[in-house]
Each structure stands twice: as C-alpha cells, then as structure tokens.
C-alpha cells in the first residue's frame, strides 16, 4: 500500500479531461472523489509512492474536474454502468452520484468534424479552459486526453511548423486531427497536457514549437497499462541475460468503448504502432511475431492478453515463456491519469517546458525519451521527482 | 547476440567444479570447449555483454576445467545423455568427445560422508586444487559449486566462528556439511568460490571470516535461472506501479538429476527457502501463496513453471496474471556459471575480498546485498564492472 | 440456453441439505427461489436440457428446501457474503432475503461429535426429515450432502455389514463418520440421498445394504465441477487418438469455506483420492504427476486450476498441453445439486434402488459405474432418462 | 500404447500421396518404414486400437508408398530436415535413408497450373496411379491428398455436375482447382481418396457423382490434429453441462511449409473456414471471438495454439478457461494419414462408396456427417469398424 504523501496543496489544480465521460475519465473522477471522502485506498496511484510524492505534488483530493466530450450520457450513469461491469464498486458509484453530477455539469461539448473552421473551434475550446480556470480560481489546469483513439495522420508542412499551421488556420483550414486541435487549444490557453491515447495529440512539430513558446510541459503518449507494461520488464530481462528473443506473439482481447473503437483497423493502427515500438528498442534487434487487438464484446473493460515468447539460450537451446494478463483496463489507467495530472502541474509550477521524457514511465511511446525499459524509466522518474522536490 | 569482449587473457584461469559430472558442469564445460573451437555462439553469456566485459575478463575459451565429483560416469557419456534430452546439440557432444575426456581425466573423487575426519578430507581437497593450479601453471583457480543440493544445517558455534571451527576439526570432528567443507578447502587453497546451489557452502560465519583472512572474493547463492528470475522483474513492476500483490502461487515441475534430488523434501527445503525470500523484500510485505517443486521424471532437464499472481488496483479492483516458463535448466545455468568464474577471477586479480554483493544479479539469495530486483542488480553489476575495468 | 422442460409437478418434492448454510447449498437455494420468481435463467441446470428433462422431473421452482447445519449464520447473510464475493448477483440476494429467511427457519441443528450415542443422534436426524415431509405434505424428501469434507475412514466390520452396524449402535457405540450417520438417518427415514462431497457418506457396505432393503436410490460421490470435469473429456481424447499421456500435473488454488477445509491435509486426502482415480481408468495405465489443492484465501470461491499434460505421439515425439480453469465453484456446483435432487426424486418415484450408476455424469468418483469419461456418462444418463420418461 | 492388430494382409495396398515430399507425407512414410523394421512403436495410430483394428485392416508395415509432388528435394533429405526440427528422430532418418530413396524413386511430377489442358493432365495422373498399381501387383491404391492448402473456389456449373464437367474438359477447359483435378484422376483410376487438406478436392457435386458411379469410398476434409481436436471435446462438455459459451478466441502460431502457405490470407481462408464450422454445430448457437493463424518462422512444425473461452453458469456467473496446445503438427497428422489409408482400403474392399461419414473422427469438416463432437464420432467410427469386421 503506497505511503501517504506530504502534499503541496497551497496551489489549486484543475484537471480537464478530453473524453470526460469515457471509462478512464469516469473511473479517475470517481476515484479522486472517493479519495477526498476517505472512501477508497490509494492503490495504483504511483504519485503516492514516497519516491514520487517527493516532488511535492498537489493532493489528489484537492483536484477539481471538468472536461470536453461528444457523448451525453451523464457521469453518474456512466459510473453505474462501469460498476455493473465490475470496474468500480457499486456502492461507491451510488454514494458519489451527487458529486459526479456536479462534475458532469462542468463538461462542455467537444470538437466535432462538422465543418466549423478549426480556428473558431480552437478559440471555443480555449475559452472553455480559461473559463474553468477563472471561475474556480485555479492556479493551473492540466488537460488530459482520454478520448477515443484516432487513426494516424499523414505528415504535412502545416503540422510540422507553427507558422505554417497558423497560416492554415487563418486561411479557414482545418488541418489538425481532433486530438491535436485539443492540444493546440490547451497550449494556447496556457495549459500543460498529457496525451494518454495513441492519437497524434501534441506529437507534431508545430505543437512542440507552440508548447516551447508558451513555456508549457507536456507528456505522452498512450498509457502503458497491460501487455506493453509487461514487455517493458521482460524484454530488459532477456537482454541483460544475453538470451536471444526469436519471436514474440501478442494477442489482446477486449470489449468496452475502447475495444469497440479499436475493432476499426484504421483506428487500431495507432495503437498497434505504439505497442510495437518498444520491443526492438529494448532488445536491440527486430523481432518476428504477430500483434493483434481483437474486440470481444463479452469481455467489456476486462482486457485479456496472451503473449508467447520464444527465445534461444546457451548452445542454441530453444525455450519459451507465455503469459496471460487479465486486467481491468480502466482501473489500471485511471490512477495513472491522476498521477500525470499531478506531476505535470508540479512541472508547470517548477517552470519546466517541452516533452517531459522523465514521464516515459507511464507511456507505451515515451515522447522526449528513448528509454522503454520500466526500471530505467522508474529511475529517471524518481530522480526527476527528487529534483522537483528540491526546488520547492 | 552479445558483442565480443576484448578479453584479458594474459592471466591463466582454472575453473574447478564441485559436481563436475553433473548437468550444469557438463553443459558449461562443453560450451566453453565449443566456444574455443568457434563451434557455438555465445548466447546466454552475460559476461560477453559489453557492460560486463568492460571489467576485463579472462576469455571463455582460455578457461581450463577440472573438478570433484562422487559420480563416475565420464563426461563424454554425460554429454551424450544431455544431448539425447535436447539440452545440448548431439553433434557438439560427439565432436568434442576427446576434449571432454581430457577434462574428465582431471576430475578427482569428491568428499563423502564416510567417517573420515573432515580435517583430512579438507587437506586432500585443497591438495587437489593446488595440484591443478601448479600442474597447469594457472594464475588462479575459481571453485564453482554445482553439486547436488543439500538439506539446510542447524546453527552451531563451530559454524559461526573460525577459531571454534578449527578447534572442532583439530579434535577430529566433522561439523561441516559437504558444501561447506568444499568451501573451507577452497579458501584454504587460496581459491575464490561461487556457490551456485542453495546449499550452505560458504554462507557461515566461520567461512566468511576465513575468506576475509585469505583475501578471497566469493559469491552466492543458488543461481537465478527461471521462475525466480521472472519474479525479480515482475515484483518491482507491481511495486513501482503501486499495485498490491495479494497472492502469488508458484509451481515448478522438473525431472533430471536436480529434480530427483529436490523430490526429497529435506533437500528441497533449501531451494524453497532461497526461492521464497525475494518476494517479500521486493514488495515490502509478506505475500500469501503456495510454492511447490515437483519431480516429474518425464520432463528431464526441462523445467516448467507456472505462477499465478492476484493483485489489486485502483478502488480495490482485483486482477490477475499468470505465466508459464518452459526453460532448459542446464542451458540457463551453464553460461552463468562461466560468467561467475570469469568475474570472480577478475575480482581476485583486482584484490577484492568477501561476499561480492555486486554479483547478486546471478542469485536467488544474493549474499552481500539486500537487492533482489533484477534491474537494480544489473546496475550494481555493471557499475562494479566499470570500476574493475578502470583498475587495469 | 437450456430448453424448458415439461415438468412433472403433481408430486411435491422436498430437498434436505446437509450443510444447508454452506456456499453450495445457499447458492442452490437462492437459484431455485429465483427461478420460481422468474428472476434468473436456467443456465447450468443439466436437468433442463431436453434429453434429461425427458425423464419427467419435478420442476425446479416447486422444490421445498430445508436442512441441517452446525453453523448459525442465517441464509440471507450467507447470500450477501456470496454476492460480495461475486458468486451470486447482489440484487438477487437482496430481493430474495425474505424467502431465504423462510428456508432458514427450517434448518435444524446438525450432528456434532459431542459424545451423544449415534443411535440417538440418528433418531433425531430421521425425525427431522420425517417432520419436514409430513409438515409440508411432501411426497418425498431427497437428502443432498453438501457439508464440509471429512477425512477418509478406516475400514471396520461395523461399517461393512448392516447387522454389525446395528449391533454397534445398539451397544451405544458411535462407529460412523458424520456423513455416514446422515446417510443412515436418511435411509432409515426413507429418503434417497446424493453424496456431493468426497466424504464416506453412503459408500459403506452396511449402508448399501440398508438402501437396498429400504428400496432407496442413492448417488455419489464428489461433484465433478472443475479440473476433473476437464480430465473426463481430455483423457478420452488422448486415448481414442492413441496418444500416450506421460505425465499429468494438476494444481488447484481456492479459498472459501471448502478451500479452508481442504487446507487441512487430513481432510484433503478424501478429495485428492476422488480427483485422482479417473485418470488411470480412462487412460488404461497409471500416470505420473503431482496433484495439489492449495488454499489461497484471497481467491474466495473462485477456483483456479492449472494442469500440464505431457504426451507422446508418432515416432516418440513429445508434446504438451496445459489449461487454466477459472471457475466459480459454488456457481458450478449449485445447479448440479438441484439436478441430482430432481433426478433422484424421479428415480425414487419410478422404484429404482441402490447406487445409480447412470448419475456418474455428475461425480468425480461415480459409484455404481466404472465409466469416468464424460461423453459416455452423458450417453448413460440420457438413455436412463429416456427409460424413466417412458415409464410415466 | 495401442494393442497390436490382427491384420488383414492377404490384400496388397498402395498409398499414393499428393504432396509426397511434404512434411506430413515424409513423416508418414518414414513411420511406416520404421514400423516395418520394428524400429518404432505405433503410438498415435488410431488404427492400432482394438476397436478400430476390428475392421480387419491391411498392416501398416505392408503398405507400399508412392505419390505426386511438384517439389524436388528428395525424401531422404526431407527426413533429415524434419529430424533437425525435432519432428522425427535423427537416427531413424539416417538409418532408413535407403528405403526412403526407394520410395522417392516412385514419386512422379505433379499437376501444375501451366496451361496444359486438364483433360491431358488428368490422363497423365491417372496413368501414374494405374502404373503404380500394376507394377507392384497391388489390389488397390488409396490416394491421400497432403499437398499445400489451396484457396477456396467459386461455385460454377462445371463443378456441380459431372456431365458439365466432362463437357468443359472435352472443350479443352481447365475448370478444376488442382486438388480436385487430383481427385478426378484418382476416381477415374478407380482409387479411393482421403482429402486431408482444407482444399476443395473431392468436395464438389461433379466429383461426388463420379465417385458414386465408380463405386469408390472417399473421406474428408482437413485433418483434425490440434486446436479443433480440443474444441471437439470441450464444446460438447459445455453443451451437456448447460453452460453457455459467450466467446471463444482461437490463436494459432506455426512455421513450417504449411505455416508458410497459410501466411497467405487467400490460402488461409480455406483453413479458417474448416476450423470455424464445428463450434456452432456443437454448441447450437453462433459464438463470438477471433480466429487467427499466424506464421512464425521460428516455430517450424511446432504449432502453438492458445484458446480463451468465456462462459456463463448458474445465475449468470461469468467464468473462463484457456488452454495452450504445443503440438508437432506432422507428428500428429502422419499416423492419421496412415489410418485413413488403411480404413479406406478396407471400405473399398467391403464395397462401400461415397463420402464416408464414419471417418468424420479424423476431420475438421466431416463430409458425409453432421457430427463434430469427438466422442460421438468415435462411437460412429468404432461401430462402423465392427460392422466392417463382421463382413470378412
Ligand atoms: N484503459 C487503458 O488501459 C488505456 C491505456 C492506454 C490508452 N488508453 C486510451 O485512453 C482512451 C480512453 O479509453 P476509454 O476506455 O476511456 O474509452 P471510452 O470509449 O470509454 O471513452 C472515450 C471517450 O471519448 C469521447 N470522445 C470521442 N471523441 C471525442 C471528441 N472528439 N472529443 C471529446 N470526446 C470524445 C467518447 O465520447 C468517450 O466518452 C482511448 O484512446 C484508449 O486507447 C486507455
Ligand atoms: N540448473 C539450474 O537452473 C540451477 C539453478 C540454480 C541452482 N542449481 C543447482 O545446481 C546444482 C547442480 O544442478 P544439476 O542440474 O547439474 O544437478 P545434477 O544432479 O545433474 O548434478 C549434481 C552433481 O553433483 C554431484 N555430487 C553430489 N554430491 C557430491 C559431493 N558430495 N561431492 C561432489 N559432487 C557431488 C553428483 O554426482 C552430480 O554429478 C544443484 O544443486 C542445483 O540446485 C541449478
Ligand atoms: N463447490 C464445488 O464445486 C464442489 C464440488 C465437489 C464437491 N464439493 C463439496 O461440497 C461440499 C460443500 O462445499 P461448500 O463450498 O459449500 O463448503 P462450505 O464450507 O461453504 O459449506 C459447508 C457447510 O457444511 C456445514 N457443516 C460442517 N459440518 C457439518 C455437520 N457435521 N453437519 C452439518 N453441516 C455441517 C458447514 O457449517 C458449512 O455451512 C464440500 O464437501 C465440497 O468438497 C463442492
Ligand atoms: N500437419 C497437420 O497437422 C495438418 C492437419 C490438417 C491438415 N493438414 C494439411 O496437410 C497438408 C500438408 O501439410 P504439410 O505440413 O505436409 O505441408 P508441406 O508444405 O510440408 O507439404 C506440402 C507438399 O505439397 C506439395 N505440393 C504443393 N502443390 C502441389 C501440387 N500442385 N501437386 C503436388 N504436390 C504439391 C509441396 O511441394 C509440398 O511438398 C496441408 O494442406 C495442411 O493444411 C495438415
Ligand atoms: Na493497455
Ligand atoms: Na471441482
């Protein structure tokens, strides 16, 4: 059980979810509300471990929630649905219905691909963020993207250079994928951002430029919660033991909203790309083997992953291992999302800007870092937290 | 594939196996002979990875082998038996029969519990080691214990203090378990020692004193090759992700000589003890769950382990993972045994003495260290190697 | 989904559980009450499949429940506890609390090893059964033993011959294990009996004699719900494909009341005996390999079993398979217990007496039959049901 | 170990493999040659089990082998390659090299899609079969198709009606897929046929007509050797226990020649079709879940399959099971191919004609039968064998 942190609660922090009525956002919101009332332990919150809390983070119970979504089913209902699927305790969903309804009242309508020029949409999204900050007297608002996975985008000059992007927007164009439009609006509104999905989001030359210009820290992408988490400890094990991995097959079964989105091969392309990238980096050579994500409605939010690894040892002897991971995706993701909000708030307070490589611990594709191994990422994270702690 | 090391071959190094005709020793000997002839890749040799080779190690092909055993089946036959079980390639066992026979000619009869006073046995064992060193003009001989696992011993004053031990030996007593008698003889003969088994070996107050007195480095115990290796990356993963492990069940199936020995619950007690100890250390709390080692003749040297881990995440959600490990025990152990011989030879050359905690990477019970996590052990090992390398 | 049966509801049937407040009995009672109100589907009830329903069985919703237990926690509370463990739906446990309380009012205090002569205890138990039958105007009462597993008994003449048994009871002796005392009382009260546990129960020469004398059908023993169920389809697969099974390792993890009882090796001896017996019968030769049942409190009623099977095919090629079974033990057992009550009621009505080998389909140790293969047992069961159906 | 059969060796039987130099054919040929010399046990041969041998079958050691292929690597080399992959014993492959070379001398060049009109190719293939029968004084020649899997075909009138087919061939057309061309040639030459692949082969209206006309028995299709074999015992288990299967995910990893062919999605379509069809038939309803076959070169002939089954029990409780199957595909298929040759030879001798539904036991898609459950297929097979035995 994580130790309690000595929190840094003088500053008031807002958390703005893109996809605020999705499974991850709902679970995270419910959990933070429960923590505030002392109704739930802090299991799964990395930011409560002493080595991370050392950074001096805003308390999880002091966070104020709001967000964008395009879905309309209110948070209290979403929470009950999750409870029926075994993701969160039913009693908790019931007893926090009022608090959830209050948060739901702060959720604004998100960006849709409806022809409205992105210049205007961005202005509206930024205004939502600024309104939230002002109205609640917040020191800062961290935006966390937990909306549905998008397909990958084609490169173009407007995406690479800020000046070109601004020109395109001025010209009434809509060059950005939705996740990047949110990132643009966040940065323009002076908000740090965590890209928890495999979508493009802030991962564009133009937006990296903008974040630097605005002095904003950001992190991504694609939360590392299941199979990829395991890969990030097993691959270094094989590598440091000088065992040659010959094939690694990865199969994922999941239902739920995310599963449904990923059943579309176009959207899944982003996810399989972020899932695949670490292995070669950690092993030092490409590895054969399929990687599938299959939608099985019946499984709901309960992801089941099976991996089969074939490897070679001394004198060419062939061996294998396999694992089955049965995790509840939203329960794994929700605390990480709160961790990221707290850590980015602190980084912002400390004046950090750009892609926070030290947050690679949380991501399948660690932007701002080349390290995919979990233990090395942990070291980087805790060293950074120690540094942040030493500043205050 | 590990990179080739720039080896330090001016010094000549002998490797003396206690249990020289066992599966691990035979595989290690065969592999080193194959490496000398360029007949096999160096997969599985940690000492060939650049971060470890940096220490400046004796070349694997330059090692000279000998040892003690109580079994008489000659090495060439043992190698054929292993080949038939799929542990080593049949062609290799056949083509290196002469070289194996040469090593076999240097295997001396080991210590038996036959009533001969241990003072006399120790003298004989030491003389065997010294004879080997002299005859082959070796700079040093590293002893590696890969003999059958013994039951644990009861504590006694003669085991704790060197003076008491010497007194007991002078009095014609036989207070030491066989593995510790070998360690005593090794230290008296000025040889560094690796305790690759879960037996007591050098892990006694009296022998630690002797090693210090003689200025000898040693390391132990119980090679970490399978399920415990996986635990040493998975447990830190759960811990740094703030997930609470609720139960961890560990089942091991194996045949072979080692399996046969461990089918005796008395002997297995040593192994289950070393296997169990790391989990609590890595997780910070005791964990429920059975740990069995079962002898299944049919499986031979092919260990199959299944572990089931139940854990709790955010808001108390229960999840689980399981893995199956299908490894060839001797193929996993043999390169580590060569690694240890090379590293202890270098440590000896560099004047190190006592329990080498930096070698904890190789062991289930890392003597001289409190760290059980593999990634942290890797860091300790490579830092130490860098230091050793800087000396030469 | 099983088809609805044309039930034979003119006769009124009572079900008397020994262990009426245990997990299996509580789940079965709750399920039958739910079926009566149309609140639950009939999944898992073999007696609802057309081939079995063809026997002309009493309707599951018409069954009247009562029983013995030595525990005092009332049924409505037991049901809530099971709901919290995910065994039964919480809403069901809540909405049927009154009906459960009504059944609980009919539970009588069971037999304890407290020195009271078994003659007197038996009389009291029989009187409880007769009272229930009379009071509720039942045509017959089927006793189903779902109490805690007992250790095996030593053979003795009083257990083998009815005359000797009666003599011992007359002499104030207490020769019977509790489960057999219940069986004696049931048979004396004219009740058919199902032995769902691995305990001795009716499986004694003396009691077989008594059942015959009283014209009563009975069946046993040890409900086949998990790993053994799988063995009973996999072993015939290997046998009819002429593949030689070389080893079969069976590991079971479970918590709950039953797990707790089986954590005592003395009690577990009964279970491991019934679990082990079928394999040799189905394969035609003994098979090597461990069989463990381990108590892991954390898992509750959720049994996790892992089996590893090594087999040999053409030209001696070695292959393997493994499975993991994650079943909810009470949810698997409860419908079978209802099936047995309905089938034994029908057999009694049809005048059958003795061990019903045709019910072997339900048991790990099929008394009255030598067949362990599930498919052959299914054929025997459905042929018998067709025969019973043709009588009415 | 299967009992020895009292064989019916007065008649001389030839076996003609289409794909005679493939893995399955090579393993089957080697195994029969080994049996002839008493060098191998008969494990895996269903036809050696007493219930099947009762049919009065030609002895496996008396079979004479030949065949068609388009590959040219000779059998002795193919056998060595298989031995290096662990499929057959190296010593066997070496010691039977001469006998394999003799069989290789009887392999004729197969049918290629090279523009030659199929009328002419068919005549040549038939002549090869007739030449083999005459030259070796055989009573009959059974053709077994073990060539590479083809893509499925589009329906057309020439494939449905024999008269149309003959017209098309007369007109110089080539309407048949290669496997069906072989079947046409076999039937024209008076040879029974087993279609061991998922290809079309004899499964066309026109060819069924021809077989009837010629009085020839045939059987198919797609040998049931791994995952589908398991499904055929597990699905009936769920069904007869009234447990509702909610999803069934099937993943297959394999390398080897067959794996390579199936890496082409076009060819794999035939295989996934035959693999998928049984489940719905056995469970009585469609079942959700992916089915993948992935080529992993590294695994060679060693197929690894993982299946995850989610099911629902009493009161809606969700449970799951999963299995991993690690089988050597050719070692599993080879004895079945010999079984089929022996059984079809006997059926031919007994005057049976048409699709032999009683051989459904051997196939993923049992032509001539609606039964997919293994136990029911076994009963059908053994009853048929008993009948055949009673004729002689
Ligand atoms: N759960 C995990 O373990 C995990 C791990 C890594 C990444 N992720 C990613 O997190 C994201 C959320 O996952 P989830 O399970 O909560 O999915 P979900 O489908 O339950 O929720 C997504 C939410 O995003 C909303 N949305 C869609 N388009 C939007 C738009 N244009 N603007 C605003 N909102 C929009 C949807 O209405 C929905 O409420 C996914 O992209 C997923 O890939 C999840
Ligand atoms: N293989 C692994 O993965 C692994 C991992 C950790 C530890 N180990 C340990 O390594 C040791 C060797 O394993 P193995 O598989 O080679 O076993 P093995 O049974 O094949 O070999 C042991 C050898 O020790 C010899 N021996 C027994 N008593 C002796 C004595 N008093 N003096 C000298 N020799 C003696 C035996 O005759 C035998 O040749 C075991 O203790 C095992 O627990 C092995
Ligand atoms: N659940 C399964 O899948 C399964 C399968 C096969 C057999 N069984 C057997 O069914 C039995 C019940 O299992 P459970 O999970 O319900 O266990 P449980 O521990 O929940 O219930 C057992 C009940 O028996 C009662 N009991 C104990 N001694 C008694 C006595 N002398 N007289 C009357 N009642 C007594 C206990 O108080 C308890 O209420 C066990 O023997 C188990 O081995 C269960
Ligand atoms: N091994 C199993 O468990 C199993 C089970 C079911 C079905 N099968 C089927 O059996 C077949 C053979 O499998 P395999 O592993 O031996 O494959 P393989 O690739 O090793 O052998 C196939 C052989 O067919 C030959 N061939 C290809 N086209 C031909 C043609 N037009 N005429 C004659 N020969 C031709 C190839 O040259 C090759 O020698 C495959 O279709 C496979 O799907 C195998
Ligand atoms: Na994930
Ligand atoms: Na069971």
């Amino acid at each position: 059980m994580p130790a309690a942190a000595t929190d840094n609660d003088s500053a008031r922090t807002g958390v703005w979810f893109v996809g605020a009525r999705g499974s991850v956002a709902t679970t995270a919101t419910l959990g933070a509300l429960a923590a505030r009332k002392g109704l739930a332990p802090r299991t799964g919150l990395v930011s409560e471990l002493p080595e991370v809390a050392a950074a001096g983070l805003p308390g999880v119970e002091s966070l104020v929630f709001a967000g964008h979504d395009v879905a309309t089913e209110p948070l209290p209902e979403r929470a009950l649905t999750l409870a029926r699927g075994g993701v969160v305790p039913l009693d908790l969903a019931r007893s926090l219905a009022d608090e959830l309804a209050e948060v739901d009242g702060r959720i604004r309508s998100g960006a849709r691909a409806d022809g409205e020029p992105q210049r205007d949409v961005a202005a509206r999204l930024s205004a939502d963020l600024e309104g939230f900050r002002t109205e609640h007297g917040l020191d800062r608002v961290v935006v966390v993207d937990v909306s549905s996975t998008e397909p990958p985008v084609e490169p173009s000059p407007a995406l690479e250079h800020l000046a070109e992007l601004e020109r395109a927007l001025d010209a009434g164009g809509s060059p950005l994928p939705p996740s990047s439009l949110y990132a643009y609006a966040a940065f323009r509104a002076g908000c740090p951002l965590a890209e928890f999905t495999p979508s493009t989001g802030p991962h564009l030359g133009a937006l990296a430029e903008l974040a630097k210009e605005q002095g904003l820290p950001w992190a991504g992408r694609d939360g590392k919660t299941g199979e990829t988490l395991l890969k990030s400890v097993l691959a270094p094990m094989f590598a440091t033991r000088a065992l040659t991995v010959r094939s690694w097959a990865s199969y994922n079964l999941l239902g739920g909203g995310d599963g449904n989105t990923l059943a579309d091969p176009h959207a899944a392309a982003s996810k399989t790309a972020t899932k695949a990238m670490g292995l070669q980096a950690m092993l030092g050579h490409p590895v054969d083997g399929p990687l599938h994500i299959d939608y099985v409605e019946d499984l709901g939010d309960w992801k089941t992953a099976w991996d089969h690894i074939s490897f070679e040892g001394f004198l060419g002897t062939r061996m294998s291992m396999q694992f089955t991971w049965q995790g509840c995706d939203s329960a794994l993701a929700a605390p990480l999302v709160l961790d990221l909000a707290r850590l980015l708030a602190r980084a912002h307070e400390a004046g950090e800007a750009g892609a926070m490589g030290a947050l690679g611990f949380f991501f399948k594709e660690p932007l701002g870092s080349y390290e995919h191994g979990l233990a090395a990422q942990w070291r980087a994270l805790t060293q950074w937290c120690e540094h942040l702690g030493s500043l205050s």
Side-chain angles (χ1 to χ4, degrees), chain A:
Chain A
M1 183 75 60
T6 322
D7 292 327
N8 160 17
D9 285 344
S10 51
R12 283 179 49 78
T13 306
V15 179
W16 186 276
F17 287 127
V18 182
R21 293 190 179 108
S23 302
V24 173
T26 305
T27 307
T29 304
L30 182 75
L33 296 173
R36 187 180 303 170
K37 294 212 165 176
L39 295 176
R42 284 151 195 247
T43 320
L45 280 167
V46 170
S47 50
E48 298 285 315
L49 295 176
E51 298 92 329
V52 178
L57 304 173
V60 69
E61 57 297 309
S62 75
L63 302 173
V64 186
F65 294 91
H68 282 123
D69 207 312
V70 295
T72 54
E73 201 197 5
L75 274 184
E77 270 85 280
R78 287 290 296 133
L80 288 177
T81 306
L82 289 170
R84 265 176 238 113
V87 179
V88 300
L90 187 57
D91 292 340
L92 216 56
R94 282 184 178 145
S95 65
L96 292 167
D98 290 351
E99 287 81 352
L100 286 168
E102 193 196 313
V103 174
D104 195 73
R106 295 194 290 265
I107 298 179
R108 299 287 162 261
S109 179
R112 289 177 181 286
D114 59 359
E116 192 185 353
Q118 287 191 332
R119 173 63 80 208
D120 303 349
V121 184
R124 178 167 59 75
L125 299 175
S126 290
D128 289 339
L129 288 164
E130 285 156 5
F132 175 52
R133 186 166 51 205
T134 312
E135 197 174 324
H136 293 271
L138 303 168
D139 288 282
R140 61 189 53 80
V141 172
V142 181
V143 174
V144 183
D145 184 6
V146 284
S147 63
S148 311
T149 298
E150 299 167 359
V153 288
E154 291 300 310
S156 84
L159 302 180
E160 278 320 296
H161 307 288
L162 184 55
E164 303 250 17
L165 173 59
E166 294 296 357
R167 232 181 330 264
L169 292 173
D170 286 342
S174 292
L176 295 166
S179 62
S180 301
L181 181 57
Y182 282 109
Y184 176 84
F187 291 158
R188 279 282 165 226
C191 299
L193 172 86
E195 184 56 56
F196 202 77
T197 82
S199 304
T200 311
H203 190 38
L204 291 174
L207 298 179
E209 231 179 284
L210 176 58
K212 266 279 155 65
E213 201 177 290
Q214 299 276 83
L216 292 167
W218 58 276
R221 66 180 170 181
D222 204 5
K224 178 159 79 172
T225 51
E227 183 183 69
T228 315
L229 178 65
L230 284 161
K231 281 180 177 163
S232 72
V233 297
L234 293 174
M237 178 192 84
F238 288 110
T240 59
R241 280 301 179 95
L243 299 165
T244 305
V245 172
R246 297 192 45 110
S247 68
W248 194 311
S250 304
Y251 295 117
N252 295 271
L253 298 167
L254 85 164
D258 192 30
N260 207 346
T261 305
L262 298 175
D264 168 10
H266 202 204
S270 300
K271 183 69 91 179
T272 51
T274 55
K275 283 178 85 76
M277 55 185 34
L279 214 46
Q280 170 157 358
M282 290 182 284
L283 296 174
H285 58 87
V287 179
D288 195 21
L291 191 164
H292 293 291
I293 304 177
D294 287 305
Y295 179 63
V296 179
E297 189 188 354
D298 174 51
L299 297 179
D301 223 57
W302 287 84
K303 152 95 77 34
T304 297
W306 179 75
D307 276 33
H308 179 274
I309 305 143
S310 150
F311 62 98
E312 190 177 310
F314 200 53
L315 303 180
T317 307
R318 295 294 183 79
M319 301 174 261
S320 70
M321 78 162 283
Q322 53 189 286
F323 66 78
T324 302
W325 171 264
Q326 293 168 304
C328 177
D329 255 13
S330 298
L332 289 163
L336 302 186
V337 150
L338 298 172
D339 292 332
L340 285 165
R342 299 170 83 183
L343 285 158
L344 282 172
R346 178 70 188 110
H348 187 226
E349 185 185 35
E352 306 252 345
M356 300 287 101
L359 294 174
F361 179 75
F362 296 96
F363 296 109
K364 291 197 189 74
E365 182 183 357
L367 300 175
S369 159
Y370 293 103
E371 183 57 65
H372 284 81
L374 191 76
Q377 291 173 330
W378 173 248
R379 205 158 66 251
L381 173 65
T382 54
Q383 282 171 352
W384 185 64
C385 287
E386 201 185 330
H387 163 72
L388 290 177
S390 73
L391 299 180
S392 48

